[in-house]
Amino acid sequence: MYLDTAKYKKSGKIYTRYLLRESYRQGTQIKKRTIASITKCSPDEIKAIKLALKHKNNLSVLGSFADVQVKQEKSIGALLALQAVYSPIKKALSSDEQGRIALWQVWARLIDQGSRCSALRLLDTHLGREQLQLPDTLTLYRVYKNLEWLCKHQESIEQRLWKSRGRDKTANLFLYDVTSSYLEGKHNELGSYGYNRDKKSGKKQIVIGLLTDNEGDPIAVRVFKGNTSDCKTVQTQIDALKNQFKVKEVTIVGDRAMFKLPQIAELPENFNYISALTKTDIRTLLKSEVIQLELFDTELCEVEDAGGRYILRRNPIRAKEIEQVRKEKLEKLQSLIEEKNTYLSTHIRATEKVALKELQAKAEKLKINTWMTISVTDRVIKYEIDTTTLEEVSHLDGCYCLKTNLSTQTASKEIVNDRYGDLQLVEAAFRTMKQSHLELRPIYLRREDHTRGHVFIVMLAYLLQRKLKKAWEKTDRTVQECLDILSTLTTTILEMGDIKVSKLPQPNAECRQLLMLVGAKLPKSI
């Protein structure tokens, strides 16, 4: 007896029929006859009958687990969590092969920060290829081509991402800040030497401008040459808001040196700004008597002028911090002076001019040379503090001044102050993207489109990271730790003879909690 399976076509549809049949001999001929039709049985019942026929000579095997093998397969836990929160990016990326490859690059950046090669190797340990229907022939070359595709379609993807949130009609406050990221090697097409925020001397860098909404969710990211000044990046973001996102009324919050007079003059109609002034700008206003030093108090003070509104305040906590840092710098220099004096007294051939030059260079590096002088007499080095200059320098300790063109009817001084404080959300984004979870740097890429595509992937990964962080904030674990825990949830293969069944085991309590918090559901089949 055996199970005979065949497909047939009827009325344009394809059906499958299952018959129980047996072979018998009639004379010298072997004939077949149908015992019963089991087409109406369920798939599970048909599998059971097939399995029973396979072991018809020893049905006891079916009741024993001695021959059953359980093999660990690929990880699925982290992917289930990412699938639960990736809806905005799924809508923004196309559903074709390039969009699916890009989505995998985003997921790989969250699971294990590394190169494009490591993203490909993750497919051997995670069910990314099966979940996203990625091609078996996915190569490193195609991944780099995907970076080019991302760079080419970045603006349209950002636009779809913006519209998928439903904020294109309501949002009008945006946060913008700039950072730099150093490069490995000297052949990146965007690489250049500039103000290095990473403290990596001798390294070329790129400049990255990140635009977020008022909640800190990323909207757009742009990459500039490494020697681009902050203020020259603003117009690009204004063009994106005006032309790409079709926002008609905008308030951009930017850090110091972001909005200089030329940038303010070029602002389109209904485009407003909130920014802060540098200490040099504040001193200029004091000299022109637009503001007075007495206005800097623990309470907010406001001054209106033809150039805009100025919001002033002195932060007493920050003032004490600056005073303490200045004191520590002076103590550091005093210690070095004592060391040099000891050295000069014990080494007759030592040159006092060399020691003096080294100490003056150190004072300049510590930025305390403006209010103190160092001299040497009879091989003894001394320092003298200019109290008048020090008092002038310390006048502005803890003082800050905000500037905006928003009217008092639109935003009070308290609102302006609070919105400028929201810039910490962008600073937190840069920390996560650069050195914390997502590790944007160091960058080894050379081509401009590859570099832009890489930064865009990190921005999309940060958007998902924020969603995961919000869902898991009560677990007292980082997003990276939670993803590592979920990566331990793997599928299994049950083998009994020639029969293989893929199963997902019941997750442990911790994995179950993490999946529940993001709203992930275990699949019924794999």
Side-chain angles (χ1 to χ4, degrees):
M1 186 183 296
Y2 64 94
L3 183 64
D4 183 28
T5 305
K7 295 183 180 294
Y8 64 94
K9 190 173 184 180
K10 183 178 181 181
S11 301
K13 294 184 179 181
I14 298 177
Y15 299 91
T16 303
R17 62 117 175 102
Y18 301 94
L19 300 176
L20 278 178
R21 309 192 72 185
E22 67 175 358
S23 301
Y24 64 96
R25 182 180 292 276
Q26 187 175 9
T28 59
Q29 295 182 342
I30 297 178
K31 295 188 175 182
K32 300 177 181 179
R33 59 171 167 245
T34 300
I35 299 174
S37 173
I38 59 172
T39 303
K40 293 185 178 181
C41 293
S42 67
D44 289 338
E45 291 171 337
I46 292 174
K47 287 182 181 179
I49 294 173
K50 187 175 181 180
L51 182 62
L53 290 174
K54 183 177 181 65
H55 298 276
K56 60 185 177 181
N57 295 324
N58 186 14
L59 290 177
S60 62
V61 173
L62 300 180
S64 173
F65 290 96
D67 296 330
V68 176
Q69 293 185 351
V70 181
K71 294 183 179 180
Q72 180 180 347
E73 278 292 300
K74 295 182 180 180
S75 174
I76 192 175
L79 300 185
L80 292 176
L82 292 171
Q83 277 185 315
V85 298
Y86 82 139
S87 178
I89 295 179
K90 182 182 179 182
K91 294 177 181 178
L93 294 171
S94 62
S95 58
D96 61 11
E97 186 174 280
Q98 290 288 4
R100 297 196 300 275
I101 296 174
L103 185 55
W104 173 247
Q105 292 207 64
V106 174
W107 285 5
R109 176 61 46 180
L110 281 155
I111 296 171
D112 181 35
Q113 303 69 48
S115 63
R116 261 48 60 180
C117 288
S118 66
L120 281 177
R121 288 193 293 268
L122 279 178
L123 291 173
D124 297 330
T125 55
H126 289 72
L127 279 171
R129 178 176 279 110
E130 294 80 359
Q131 297 291 90
L132 296 177
Q133 299 178 349
L134 298 177
D136 295 331
T137 57
L138 185 60
T139 61
L140 187 60
Y141 172 78
R142 296 180 69 179
V143 174
Y144 275 102
K145 293 295 288 184
N146 185 245
L147 290 179
E148 300 171 27
W149 178 85
L150 278 167
C151 176
K152 182 179 180 181
H153 296 88
Q154 178 175 346
E155 290 190 5
S156 59
I157 294 171
E158 289 173 341
Q159 191 172 6
R160 288 194 295 271
L161 186 63
W162 167 256
K163 289 184 177 180
S164 70
R165 302 176 184 181
R167 299 178 183 175
D168 52 326
K169 295 182 179 179
T170 57
N172 57 11
L173 180 69
F174 301 89
L175 309 175
Y176 178 63
D177 204 355
V178 170
T179 190
S180 61
S181 186
Y182 71 88
L183 303 166
E184 292 293 348
K186 298 184 178 180
H187 302 288
N188 187 288
E189 294 175 352
L190 290 170
S192 185
Y193 296 106
Y195 173 58
N196 197 307
R197 296 168 175 85
D198 298 330
K199 307 302 179 184
K200 289 283 186 178
S201 59
K203 298 280 189 181
K204 286 188 175 183
Q205 65 177 22
I206 57 173
V207 170
I208 302 170
L210 179 65
L211 184 71
T212 76
D213 61 16
N214 61 322
E215 296 179 359
D217 285 336
I219 295 173
V221 67
R222 295 293 179 268
V223 183
F224 306 91
K225 289 188 71 67
N227 58 356
T228 307
S229 61
D230 293 2
C231 58
K232 291 184 179 179
T233 68
V234 175
Q235 189 59 45
T236 302
Q237 301 295 358
I238 291 174
D239 292 341
L241 290 170
K242 183 179 178 182
N243 303 322
Q244 184 179 342
F245 302 124
K246 309 299 181 183
V247 182
K248 296 182 179 179
E249 190 172 339
V250 170
T251 299
I252 302 180
V253 184
D255 205 348
R256 291 174 174 82
M258 199 73 72
F259 289 96
K260 298 293 185 180
L261 290 177
Q263 284 70 43
I264 294 174
E266 293 175 0
L267 284 175
E269 186 179 359
N270 296 326
F271 272 59
N272 304 300
Y273 69 92
I274 298 174
S275 188
L277 301 182
T278 63
K279 290 292 178 65
T280 303
D281 294 332
I282 294 176
R283 291 190 179 97
T284 301
L285 291 177
L286 288 170
K287 288 181 180 179
S288 60
E289 297 185 350
V290 174
I291 60 176
Q292 291 77 41
L293 190 61
E294 295 76 18
L295 297 177
F296 289 97
D297 199 356
T298 55
E299 299 295 329
L300 288 173
C301 182
E302 180 177 350
V303 174
E304 290 193 39
D305 186 69
R309 293 170 60 199
Y310 300 99
I311 315 298
L312 298 79
R313 183 175 180 262
R314 182 190 296 273
N315 186 335
I317 298 176
R318 180 58 181 157
K320 289 181 180 180
E321 290 176 352
I322 295 173
E323 183 181 359
Q324 180 63 27
V325 169
R326 190 181 292 121
K327 181 180 178 181
E328 290 174 358
K329 289 181 177 180
L330 181 58
E331 290 174 351
K332 174 67 175 177
L333 191 64
Q334 288 173 338
S335 176
L336 291 175
I337 290 175
E338 291 176 2
E339 290 178 10
K340 288 296 181 183
N341 282 331
T342 302
Y343 186 83
L344 288 173
S345 64
T346 56
H347 295 74
I348 300 175
R349 294 187 178 183
T351 307
E352 57 187 27
K353 290 184 179 180
V354 173
L356 179 63
K357 187 176 180 180
E358 290 178 2
L359 290 170
Q360 288 174 338
K362 186 64 176 180
E364 184 177 356
K365 186 176 181 180
L366 293 172
K367 297 181 180 180
I368 61 176
N369 59 313
T370 57
W371 48 269
M372 71 169 302
T373 55
I374 307 174
S375 59
V376 58
T377 305
D378 297 332
R379 296 181 66 81
V380 176
I381 301 174
K382 300 178 180 179
Y383 71 91
E384 184 178 353
I385 296 176
D386 186 344
T387 55
T388 303
T389 304
L390 178 58
E391 186 177 352
E392 291 178 359
V393 170
S394 60
H395 270 329
L396 296 178
D397 285 357
C399 295
Y400 65 89
C401 180
L402 307 181
K403 185 179 180 181
T404 182
N405 62 345
L406 287 168
S407 66
T408 54
Q409 292 78 17
T410 304
S412 65
K413 60 180 182 291
E414 290 80 12
I415 291 177
V416 173
N417 184 68
D418 292 343
R419 295 294 75 79
Y420 184 79
D422 289 338
L423 270 181
Q424 62 180 325
L425 298 173
V426 190
E427 294 168 359
F430 281 139
R431 285 194 298 272
T432 302
M433 290 171 62
K434 287 175 59 176
Q435 65 204 43
S436 178
H437 181 180
L438 303 178
E439 293 184 4
L440 179 145
R441 64 184 189 189
I443 299 174
Y444 295 86
L445 300 166
R446 293 189 176 190
R447 288 178 45 165
E448 177 180 340
D449 50 0
H450 290 173
T451 306
R452 295 186 189 277
H454 169 67
V455 174
F456 187 42
I457 283 173
V458 175
M459 190 206 86
L460 295 176
Y462 176 66
L463 179 60
L464 294 187
Q465 196 267 358
R466 278 179 57 84
K467 294 182 178 297
L468 292 173
K469 183 178 180 180
K470 186 176 181 180
W472 291 333
E473 60 184 354
K474 294 183 179 179
T475 63
D476 198 29
R477 292 184 181 274
T478 65
V479 173
Q480 182 68 72
E481 289 173 338
C482 292
L483 289 174
D484 289 342
I485 291 171
L486 287 174
S487 294
T488 62
L489 179 60
T490 64
T491 57
T492 58
I493 295 291
L494 302 179
E495 291 187 3
M496 187 169 61
D498 296 333
I499 298 177
K500 296 182 179 181
V501 180
S502 181
K503 285 289 184 180
L504 178 64
Q506 286 295 319
N508 60 34
E510 195 166 18
C511 288
R512 187 163 58 249
Q513 181 194 22
L514 294 176
L515 292 173
M516 180 191 68
L517 289 173
V518 295
K521 296 182 179 179
L522 297 178
K524 295 181 179 179
S525 60
I526 302 172

